[in-house]
Amino acid sequence: MRVTEVVARFAVAGAVSEDSAPAIRSLIDTVGVAFGGRDAEATRAITAFAETEPSAGRAVVWGAERECGPSQAALINGTAAHALDFDDACPSMPLHPSTVLWPALLAVVDEHTDPARLVAAIEVGNTVMRALGEVLPMDVHYGRGWHSTATVGRVAAVAALARLRGLSIESTRYALGAVASMAGGSIANFGTATKPLHAGSAARDAVVAVGLVEAGLTAAVDQLEHPKGFLALFGDPDAAALAALPERLDHWARHWSQDWSLKRYPCCYGTHRAIDAVLELRAEVVMRDIETIAVHVHPGSVRPLIDHEPGTGSEGKFSLPFTVAHALRYGRLGIGGFTDAAVADAETRALMRRVTVHPEPSPAGRPELAGRPYALVRLTTADGTARERLVTIARGDARNPLTDDEIADKFRSCVTARGRSAAAAESLLTQLREALSVPGALAVACASLRGGETAAPI
């Protein structure tokens, strides 16, 4: 199977949905969480480093009074969008598509960009990311410790940029070949400031690969399928999966937005079903009476999580005991819940020690859950009473979605948390809602991504 050519042909001319609604929702969500992540450790470090290497250009650093070259903007904005672990997710596989795709795409738009082409590009990126994730397959890839958002994300972002930039099939094959040689990102860095750097690096490398090819660079045109190429190095694809790629691209082009979740909580998606369950149970118990908190989850949910007590707010995002205990104690889990002080709090620590995590394909007596993502939380009180809640579909999943009002509230909370006024946040929200459908609105929205309360159109 000539995988590189198949992906390139789809990127350049494959049929995608013309419905802009999912693209608008993902744009609003991504920009919001990126504004929220502007002051995170990773974003601050990368921004400070970038200032030592000034980059000329008109690309906007979101939430900052600064313009720079496209690749540098993609690096900073992609890192910021992933810094809170509040960005979107795929329920079927461990991917955060928008945190790579939007920073890469918006880094190269200008006042002449056709919003319809931008919608098609985000559709292409979401499609390719999921289809390649299946081909690897993802269990092998992620099981080896690769951060799939960074690895598969680079390839998908190049495909998206190829559609946006109108590349030829030949140039797209070169760009895919080039970016595949840049791929990397290790799960060992989850819970550290380098994890969000993975997303920013993926967005930057996609912009660089396409720019280099436009400047004349060539690469192996069979890089993805080569015996020593991307799929062989990062996965273990079988012949049937490779042969099915064209059909899977067609499938995901029509259905990617049904395999998509906008996060309700700013932490690893592997914790979300358990948090939902705890929040549902909270009203049924008296906190001081709780003796044990048993969390049964599918083994896939714990792959990205840490197995030791968190010592920092960042590690808390990858700890089931902490996220469950904090949600149980406070009845919510927002941006402010993941500080070092919150993780060190003595009462929360005491509650964490009552949490036990049980990774298993299905909990005892529930064989129908075998192979399905789930969380079953059982609270046992001092008198021996047990209450439990099963969650198979997290809030925010397309099958159990956040409402438009909830997405807007999430956006407002992220933007205002980092210094913008409520009025400025509302204005930016309105502009983003119109950016992909109202003529001229994309330029206005991109200009408003700059720091400060107001900005002129680009």
Side-chain angles (χ1 to χ4, degrees):
M1 165 63 67
R2 300 169 69 182
V3 175
T4 314
E5 182 172 347
V6 168
V7 173
R9 288 186 179 278
F10 176 81
V12 170
V16 294
S17 171
E18 297 179 0
D19 180 10
S20 64
I24 292 169
R25 288 165 67 89
S26 70
L27 175 61
I28 290 169
D29 192 72
T30 305
V31 168
V33 298
F35 268 74
R38 279 291 309 152
D39 292 335
E41 176 189 351
T43 315
R44 292 198 312 270
I46 291 162
T47 301
F49 170 76
E51 289 173 352
T52 69
E53 296 187 345
S55 170
R58 297 290 312 277
V60 175
V61 177
W62 304 347
E65 291 283 2
R66 180 177 177 191
E67 294 177 340
C68 58
S71 65
Q72 197 174 93
L75 171 65
I76 297 171
N77 294 334
T79 300
H82 200 44
L84 299 180
D85 240 284
F86 213 179
D87 45 324
D88 65 359
C90 296
S92 72
M93 58 188 89
L95 292 168
H96 300 274
S98 295
T99 196
V100 178
L101 298 176
W102 280 119
L105 291 168
L106 292 186
V108 301
V109 301
D110 58 30
E111 63 268 28
H112 305 297
T113 299
D114 179 1
R117 184 178 283 276
L118 185 55
V119 171
I122 202 74
E123 293 272 340
V124 164
N126 273 289
T127 299
V128 169
M129 196 174 284
R130 289 164 174 82
L132 278 184
E134 287 181 328
V135 167
L136 278 166
M138 190 58 75
D139 281 351
V140 172
H141 182 67
Y142 206 70
R144 289 179 184 170
W146 293 112
H147 185 188
S148 41
T149 296
T151 51
V152 184
R154 281 174 168 84
V155 180
V158 160
L161 287 165
R163 176 64 67 96
L164 181 67
R165 303 285 290 176
L167 266 58
S168 68
I169 292 173
E170 179 182 41
S171 292
T172 302
R173 291 171 75 185
Y174 288 152
L176 292 169
V179 84
S181 286
M182 304 175 186
S186 166
I187 290 174
N189 267 310
F190 282 19
T192 75
T194 293
K195 199 240 187 184
L197 171 63
H198 293 170
S201 297
R204 175 202 60 197
D205 288 353
V207 171
V208 168
V210 169
L212 287 172
V213 168
E214 289 179 325
L217 184 76
T218 61
V221 295
D222 61 347
Q223 214 286 349
L224 298 183
E225 71 272 20
H226 191 281
K228 297 187 183 298
F230 180 87
L231 291 175
L233 291 170
F234 288 103
D236 187 19
D238 60 34
L242 292 170
L245 179 60
E247 184 276 327
R248 297 310 293 169
L249 286 166
D250 179 65
H251 167 82
W252 287 119
R254 290 180 286 113
H255 300 299
W256 74 262
S257 62
Q258 297 165 35
D259 177 46
W260 184 42
S261 184
L262 296 181
K263 284 187 174 182
R264 190 182 184 188
Y265 318 110
C267 49
C268 180
Y269 196 64
T271 67
H272 282 221
R273 296 179 186 88
I275 296 168
D276 282 344
V278 162
L279 291 177
E280 289 181 19
L281 285 168
R282 188 173 183 270
E284 301 178 13
V285 295
V286 176
M287 196 70 58
R288 64 176 178 273
D289 292 341
I290 297 173
E291 289 283 333
T292 62
I293 307 162
V295 182
H296 301 261
V297 292
H298 187 277
S301 296
V302 300
R303 276 186 175 179
L305 303 181
I306 62 174
D307 58 3
H308 58 271
E309 280 199 356
T312 65
S314 293
E315 287 189 338
K317 292 175 179 286
F318 296 87
S319 167
L320 258 177
F322 173 74
T323 52
V324 164
H326 189 94
L328 187 58
R329 185 177 173 197
Y330 293 102
R332 64 185 184 278
L333 205 57
I335 296 173
F338 292 98
T339 63
D340 292 352
V343 167
D345 181 84
E347 289 188 39
T348 300
R349 287 275 181 180
L351 199 55
M352 285 170 58
R353 287 190 283 272
R354 303 178 203 174
V355 178
T356 56
V357 179
H358 307 271
E360 48 199 6
S362 62
R366 307 298 290 265
E368 73 278 7
L369 295 176
R372 295 173 57 192
Y374 75 91
L376 177 69
V377 176
R378 183 178 295 111
L379 304 183
T380 304
T381 53
D383 63 1
T385 302
R387 291 173 175 83
E388 66 180 36
R389 190 72 85 250
L390 170 69
V391 174
T392 58
I393 300 174
R395 273 309 313 279
D397 187 304
R399 296 164 293 177
N400 185 19
L402 299 183
T403 66
D404 287 341
D405 285 344
E406 287 174 318
I407 294 170
D409 285 344
K410 175 182 172 180
F411 177 89
R412 295 182 189 105
S413 69
C414 287
V415 173
T416 58
R418 295 300 177 256
R420 278 207 170 186
S421 68
E426 202 64 37
S427 176
L428 179 56
L429 176 61
T430 298
Q431 290 161 4
L432 291 171
R433 283 171 170 161
E434 298 175 347
L436 303 181
S437 56
V438 176
L442 178 61
V444 174
C446 287
S448 295
L449 293 177
R450 293 183 178 90
E453 293 295 297
T454 60
I458 59 176

